Amino acid sequence: DTGVSQNPRHKITKRGQNVTFRCDPISEHNRLYWYRQTLGQGPEFLTYFQNEAQLEKSRLLSDRFSAERPKGSFSTLEIQRTEQGDSAMYLCASTIRGADNEKLFFGSGTQLSVL
Amino acid sequence: AQSVTQLGSHVSVSEGALVLLRCNYSSSVPPYLFWYVQYPNQGLQLLLKYTSAATLVKGINGFEAEFKKSETSFHLTKPSAHMSDAAEYFCAVSPAGGTSYGKLTFGQGTILTVHP
């Protein structure tokens, strides 16, 4: 169990560029969640997957945001045409849905800065 | 709809003193409630959770929280603070069970400072 891994740790980009973040959940975790955390706020739920199926995406912040989990293992979160307001920490979490003592394991996040 | 309010964005205590971090929630359905801790440059770590069993929940590192439905509260306590408890703490609520488990609504966080 190596924990939830997120890459890159930091991303600096210019406004209008596209960015993609990767999340590797704990092996065999069937649920994967994406959250966003802005300075001074708690994390905000964005979307989640059960294996490869995206069960909810209505909370994605705009149509510039999209997420995939093509093989039910790692996931990517893409932001197209970035804006300065997208600057935040993007967090990934995973769990085994239905397991005894189920709990979310969070990664350390990807810090996005849009210049 | 659900929401969480953490009273006090900063709490400062002396080492050995009682820690009390306040959390009030609003939920239209029976809730699950959580406390998470975040150390600098680390991921959120679950301290404890309430999932409709015992109302007094014990967690890691000596923390505990009591679910009070009548007060819609889930305050976090620790009898004696340690320097290593300095961190940011988040209260969160989720609809109880079902497909919504894991879709947490977080409070704004409380930064705990522990003085020698």
Side-chain angles (χ1 to χ4, degrees):
Chain A
D1 181 354
T2 58
V4 178
S5 177
Q6 292 189 247
N7 289 288
R9 290 295 306 274
H10 302 274
K11 178 69 176 179
I12 300 174
T13 191
K14 293 182 178 180
R15 189 175 52 189
Q17 297 295 306
N18 299 344
V19 295
T20 300
F21 312 137
R22 178 178 170 124
C23 171
D24 287 273
I26 294 173
S27 179
E28 299 182 357
H29 278 196
N30 52 13
R31 280 271 180 102
L32 186 148
Y33 301 81
W34 285 99
Y35 284 80
R36 184 179 85 153
Q37 185 176 17
T38 54
L39 196 62
Q41 302 294 320
E44 175 187 14
F45 169 79
L46 296 178
T47 186
Y48 77 115
F49 295 84
Q50 174 82 18
N51 299 312
E52 67 274 10
Q54 190 172 12
L55 298 187
E56 181 170 343
K57 55 183 179 180
S58 64
R59 305 278 285 276
L60 287 169
L61 300 163
S62 79
D63 58 7
R64 296 184 297 105
F65 287 70
S66 63
E68 294 183 336
R69 195 184 183 198
K71 297 183 180 179
S73 56
F74 73 92
S75 176
T76 58
L77 177 69
E78 181 181 17
I79 308 174
Q80 297 183 328
R81 306 180 303 281
T82 53
E83 302 173 356
Q84 287 186 325
D86 297 332
S87 296
M89 177 75 81
Y90 291 84
L91 301 172
C92 177
S94 69
T95 189
I96 299 177
R97 183 69 183 104
D100 291 340
N101 198 25
E102 176 178 353
K103 67 177 184 179
L104 294 186
F105 291 82
F106 281 84
S108 298
T110 294
Q111 181 68 52
L112 173 66
S113 297
V114 181
L115 304 179
Chain B
Q2 301 180 303
S3 66
V4 173
T5 301
Q6 291 184 237
L7 301 176
S9 59
H10 291 82
V11 170
S12 180
V13 300
S14 298
E15 191 173 20
L18 171 72
V19 175
L20 171 61
L21 304 183
R22 299 178 187 273
C23 172
N24 287 89
Y25 71 93
S26 172
S27 178
S28 56
V29 298
Y32 286 170
L33 292 157
F34 307 81
W35 276 99
Y36 282 84
V37 61
Q38 189 173 35
Y39 298 100
N41 299 317
Q42 295 187 28
L44 289 158
Q45 180 181 4
L46 181 67
L47 278 177
L48 49 80
K49 63 180 181 180
Y50 165 77
T51 55
S52 72
T55 57
L56 182 62
V57 181
K58 295 187 182 298
I60 62 172
N61 301 340
F63 285 94
E64 64 181 37
E66 186 172 9
F67 172 68
K68 293 186 176 180
K69 184 177 179 180
S70 61
E71 299 178 6
T72 61
S73 69
F74 191 58
H75 301 330
L76 181 71
T77 61
K78 182 174 180 178
S80 176
H82 191 273
M83 297 295 289
S84 62
D85 295 326
E88 189 164 19
Y89 292 80
F90 293 93
C91 182
V93 63
S94 165
T99 60
S100 295
Y101 186 91
K103 291 169 54 179
L104 304 178
T105 299
F106 284 86
Q108 292 184 316
T110 298
I111 296 173
L112 176 66
T113 302
V114 182
H115 296 288

